[in-house]
Amino acid sequence: MELSGGRITKEEFLELLFRDDYEHLTGKKLRLIRVRVPGREICLAHIITPSDECIYHNLALHIGVHEGEDHRGEAIGLVRITPWEAVVAAADIAVKSGNVEIGFMDRFCGTLILLGELAEVQASVEEVLRFFREELEFRTCEMQLSAGARR
């Protein structure tokens, strides 16, 4: 089958997909579902050093296990990983490679938030990136520091 103009049409796609059954399916209603298959990647590694208390409140870092703790002035490391379950390994690596606390971890969305001094959060995020890139062969992004963050 030759594709029209280098881009495939819906009909060409269906014909390729169903090959032998295409003639039997012509004229019938078909339902196509797109499914996202997460890759093996870290797509966000960002460190912020907020000075405004509202950032901690909006991230809910002042409630739950952190109730009564004051994280103002500490760095916040944000990491986003797929597949999502890999965030558990990332959290383990992070707490073993720096004096950081887990502010939030979601194994259903792949989100990890780390709290601590800037140098500690930075070291932890760098080690997570290194391990996933070199040992697990994940695609990883570069770590970014927010404006105003000092190295």
Side-chain angles (χ1 to χ4, degrees), residues 79-87 106-112:
V79 181
R80 173 77 164 81
I81 303 172
T82 56
W84 309 303
E85 300 85 356
V87 76
D106 186 349
R107 69 183 189 277
F108 301 110
C109 294
T111 303
L112 176 64

Side-chain angles (χ1 to χ4, degrees), residues 12-117:
E12 290 169 337
F13 172 72
L14 292 173
E15 191 172 343
L16 282 172
L17 186 63
F18 296 108
R19 289 188 188 109
D20 299 330
D21 295 330
Y22 185 72
E23 289 181 21
H24 297 19
L25 296 171
T26 302
K28 295 186 178 172
K29 290 188 178 189
L30 297 177
R31 182 173 161 199
L32 294 178
I33 300 172
R34 293 185 197 183
V35 177
R36 180 175 185 254
V37 179
R40 293 166 26 111
E41 69 179 352
I42 296 180
C43 58
L44 173 70
H46 191 84
I47 299 176
I48 56 176
T49 54
S51 57
D52 197 301
E53 186 177 347
C54 73
I55 293 173
Y56 296 97
H57 284 274
N58 286 329
L59 290 173
L61 297 173
H62 65 295
I63 60 173
V65 295
H66 301 288
E67 188 172 8
E69 295 177 11
D70 185 7
H71 293 284
R72 286 176 296 181
E74 290 186 351
I76 299 174
L78 307 168
V79 181
R80 173 77 164 81
I81 303 172
T82 56
W84 309 303
E85 300 85 356
V87 76
V88 177
D92 181 56
I93 292 164
V95 298
K96 289 177 178 175
S97 32
N99 185 20
V100 295
E101 285 187 49
I102 296 174
F104 179 76
M105 179 179 71
D106 186 349
R107 69 183 189 277
F108 301 110
C109 294
T111 303
L112 176 64
I113 298 177
L114 301 170
L115 303 170
E117 295 300 319

